Amino acid sequence: MNKVIKIEKSTKQGLLEFLEHLLVNDKISGVLTLRKINENGICDYGFITDPKELIETAEPFAPVMPVNASQILSSLTPTTKPIAAIIKPCELRGFVERVKRAQGSLDNVLTISYTCGGVIPLNTFQSDANEKLVTDYFEVIKGTDTPDSVRPTCKACEIFIPMTADITIPIFGNNEVDSDCSLIMNSEEAVKMSKDFKCEIIESDLDSKIMAEILGKRTAEKEILFKTVSTTKEGLDDLVDTFGKCIGCHGCSRVCPICYCVLCDFESSNFDYNTDLMENELSQKHALRLPPDTIFFQLGRLNHMSFSCVGCGQCEDVCPAGIPVSTIFKKTGEDVAKIFDFVPGRDVEEVIPVMIIKEQEFPEVGE
Amino acid sequence: MAGTGRLEYPTSIMALRVLCSSRIDPVFLLKAYLKGADGVLIGGCHPGDCHYETGNYYTRRRFMILKTIFDSLGLKSERFRLSWISASEGVKFAKVANEFTETINNIGPNDTKNNMFL
């Protein structure tokens, strides 16, 4: 059981009033949140310091991910002035993974997250006619079903409850979202922040029965999704079919919350092709695919970050060639994380698998 | 020691020397695989014997990541093998090299050799 702030208003309004209170009383210096940038409902992330602006424009629960907010938080932290961030569970996990890699800090960040119904693909959401889509979305997630309009990986996401948030807000599976606001405080930090805020405080938690029901549906959906990428033909042909379309733009790694390297190994001169190399290869093969090394890049990236993949789906969303990148990375990432009993974003103290060793493990290796 | 002991091992093996098994970036293995190598054998010092104390433990983790990725994608992870063979174990090297070559012979040639997409 946790302490829960109860406000007799819609969840969005209640949360914004709470944040306004924190801003006015100088407990935080600003809020990172989604906000609408025009009347058509198009949303972007913004860091807002003015309480009036916050109340007017913030859309904290908009089902869209213009960028993975963990990347933004990396540029906002470490900070000496406390800030609040309203982000999705996978964005929070992504940020925790970044903090482990020294790309930001959780100090002075009040993380607010919510049970997430998934996000609508970017180009669908950021079009002028999204109003009905969004209304329908919020109607569906009052129940336990995931809307059809969301990303494929969101439909199959089993970690829709934030793992390390200071404040958790029930949105998905909460049918009283329009009339009632509960802010579940998971940390001392959050309780301290809410001290002077005039509200009712009760002892409560997420409805475990509803959460279990959602989880059951998501798990079933995941099995279906993973079957679509499981190899129907011999592995290599399948791989060529899937990644053969790759144009080598490396957009997937640009938007990836885990790929933080300023210079990606695969963009460095280590893997430059010159005419000698090409001639050498052409002497063995009848033709050469250009640009080269697209499959090499994907396999290499899997080696570098798959165990930390939070399955946010951003890579698939931006892929101009329509490759199901995220589905493949999520599936493979889960397989890899499993052998190390690792869950990305579970705990900031949990060291990433390649940075730590155990003397006794994998006895089958080495013979 | 396999050479001075006059032990036989298959000629199909091309030996590359690294200073520690943890020097082997998984990306080396990928490159070898995608450019047509039928198999890659990594030799490393036994756990606990590492001159740098922990090098081979890291190798083992990286190797397992690569292997799991290959299994997950339906590729043949048997084409990679990690074996603890220390510098003085010529006999073991010859034995493992023969075994591994036989395994690879059973799997057959690597399809990447003729695939223009790779």
Side-chain angles (χ1 to χ4, degrees):
Chain A
M1 284 289 156
N2 284 311
K3 284 203 166 75
V4 178
I5 299 179
K6 272 273 179 201
I7 308 166
E8 299 268 315
K9 279 174 185 161
S10 76
T11 302
K12 179 183 157 192
Q13 209 184 345
L15 171 67
L16 291 183
E17 278 178 20
F18 174 65
L19 290 170
E20 185 190 22
H21 166 83
L22 297 182
L23 273 177
V24 170
N25 291 293
D26 263 345
K27 291 198 174 169
I28 51 173
S29 64
V31 181
L32 173 70
T33 175
L34 283 165
R35 58 187 198 119
K36 50 176 186 279
I37 53 171
N38 65 11
E39 285 313 307
N40 297 330
I42 291 177
C43 286
D44 248 331
Y45 269 109
F47 185 65
I48 307 177
T49 53
D50 177 23
K52 198 166 148 263
E53 177 84 9
L54 180 76
I55 297 284
E56 273 171 17
T57 63
E59 285 290 344
F61 309 122
V64 65
M65 195 187 287
V67 288
N68 191 303
S70 57
Q71 292 179 328
I72 306 177
L73 275 173
S74 279
S75 59
L76 289 173
T77 59
T79 169
T80 50
K81 295 177 189 162
I83 59 169
I86 311 163
I87 53 181
K88 293 171 186 62
C90 56
E91 293 174 316
L92 179 58
R93 289 166 63 218
F95 186 55
V96 168
E97 287 300 306
R98 285 179 83 93
V99 171
K100 288 180 193 172
R101 291 160 168 81
Q103 302 298 309
S105 160
L106 282 161
D107 296 345
N108 285 330
V109 182
L110 181 74
T111 50
I112 303 171
S113 192
Y114 50 93
T115 53
C116 174
V119 300
I120 297 169
L122 205 52
N123 50 7
T124 321
F125 185 92
Q126 307 287 54
S127 63
D128 287 347
N130 71 7
E131 203 174 320
K132 187 174 180 311
L133 203 65
V134 176
T135 333
D136 287 351
Y137 171 92
F138 281 115
E139 213 42 59
V140 174
I141 63 164
K142 282 180 187 168
T144 56
D145 286 321
T146 306
D148 282 333
S149 53
V150 300
R151 289 174 179 168
T153 30
C154 289
K155 280 183 208 163
C157 172
E158 289 174 301
I159 310 181
F160 55 92
I161 303 173
M163 283 180 142
T164 59
D166 290 314
I167 296 178
T168 303
I169 307 169
I171 297 285
F172 189 20
N174 177 7
N175 56 13
E176 289 170 343
V177 91
D178 294 330
S179 57
D180 175 74
C181 171
S182 349
L183 310 177
I184 303 169
M185 294 182 287
N186 305 315
S187 70
E188 282 303 305
E189 196 64 25
V191 176
K192 222 185 285 169
M193 287 261 189
S194 65
K195 229 174 221 168
D196 312 328
F197 187 58
K198 285 194 185 63
C199 62
E200 189 192 345
I201 291 187
I202 59 164
E203 293 273 318
S204 178
D205 216 331
L206 290 169
D207 189 330
S208 55
K209 212 175 133 200
I210 291 177
M211 294 302 125
E213 198 181 322
I214 297 175
L215 181 63
K217 288 183 181 175
R218 287 277 177 94
T219 308
E221 198 68 48
K222 188 173 99 173
E223 271 162 31
I224 298 171
L225 180 72
F226 281 4
K227 263 187 205 138
T228 64
V229 291
S230 74
T231 43
T232 44
K233 290 165 262 171
E234 269 305 289
L236 192 65
D237 288 344
D238 216 46
L239 204 67
V240 173
D241 270 6
T242 314
F243 288 123
K245 289 186 281 182
C246 176
I247 60 167
C249 69
H250 296 193
C252 44
S253 80
R254 286 276 189 290
V255 299
C256 178
I258 313 298
C259 276
Y260 68 88
C261 297
V262 177
L263 177 60
C264 176
D265 205 15
F266 300 100
E267 286 163 22
S268 70
S269 55
N270 289 355
F271 301 112
D272 275 354
Y273 255 75
N274 56 31
T275 41
D276 284 353
L277 255 175
M278 286 197 190
E279 265 175 38
N280 182 22
E281 250 180 65
L282 282 167
S283 66
Q284 294 161 33
K285 297 178 184 178
H286 57 285
L288 193 63
R289 196 260 171 150
L290 295 169
D293 281 353
T294 48
I295 292 176
F296 175 60
F297 166 71
Q298 301 290 355
L299 287 176
R301 205 164 86 81
L302 276 169
N303 265 286
H304 285 171
M305 51 62 65
S306 61
F307 43 83
S308 281
C309 175
V310 294
C312 64
Q314 195 74 348
C315 45
E316 192 165 325
D317 225 43
V318 301
C319 181
I323 300 169
V325 195
S326 172
T327 313
I328 294 165
F329 273 60
K330 186 176 156 74
K331 176 176 183 280
T332 309
E334 279 183 19
D335 287 346
V336 175
K338 211 183 288 163
I339 64 168
F340 299 112
D341 197 16
F342 178 80
V343 177
R346 175 168 56 184
D347 181 1
V348 74
E349 301 296 327
E350 195 177 4
V351 186
I352 57 172
V354 287
M355 296 291 286
I356 194 172
I357 51 137
K358 271 192 198 144
E359 290 190 7
Q360 304 294 335
E361 60 178 356
F362 309 122
E364 73 278 14
V365 175
E367 280 316 300
Chain B
M1 291 291 274
T4 47
R6 311 213 164 196
L7 300 166
E8 261 184 47
Y9 65 89
T11 50
S12 55
I13 287 184
M14 185 167 132
L16 296 174
R17 186 164 170 253
V18 287
L19 293 185
C20 172
S21 61
S22 70
R23 174 65 184 89
I24 300 163
D25 190 327
V27 164
F28 295 174
L29 309 186
L30 285 178
K31 197 82 178 176
Y33 173 77
L34 292 174
K35 294 302 170 203
D38 292 323
V40 184
L41 171 66
I42 308 168
C45 302
H46 292 265
D49 282 355
C50 180
H51 175 73
Y52 308 101
E53 289 180 8
T54 52
N56 43 10
Y57 295 120
Y58 286 109
T59 312
R60 183 165 63 188
R61 287 215 147 195
R62 290 179 202 141
F63 179 76
M64 282 312 288
I65 292 175
L66 182 83
K67 216 169 158 58
T68 314
I69 290 170
F70 266 59
D71 286 338
S72 187
L73 293 173
L75 301 170
K76 288 207 166 59
S77 69
E78 299 85 25
R79 292 194 187 278
F80 301 104
R81 177 163 173 185
L82 171 63
S83 192
W84 305 132
I85 308 168
S86 72
S88 57
E89 290 181 312
V91 179
K92 187 172 179 189
F93 175 74
K95 182 176 151 264
V96 170
N98 283 313
E99 263 176 31
F100 188 57
T101 310
E102 203 183 314
T103 316
I104 297 297
N105 278 339
N106 291 337
I107 300 173
N110 189 349
D111 292 341
T112 58
K113 232 170 278 186
N114 303 315
N115 197 319
M116 65 157 277
F117 267 100
L118 299 164

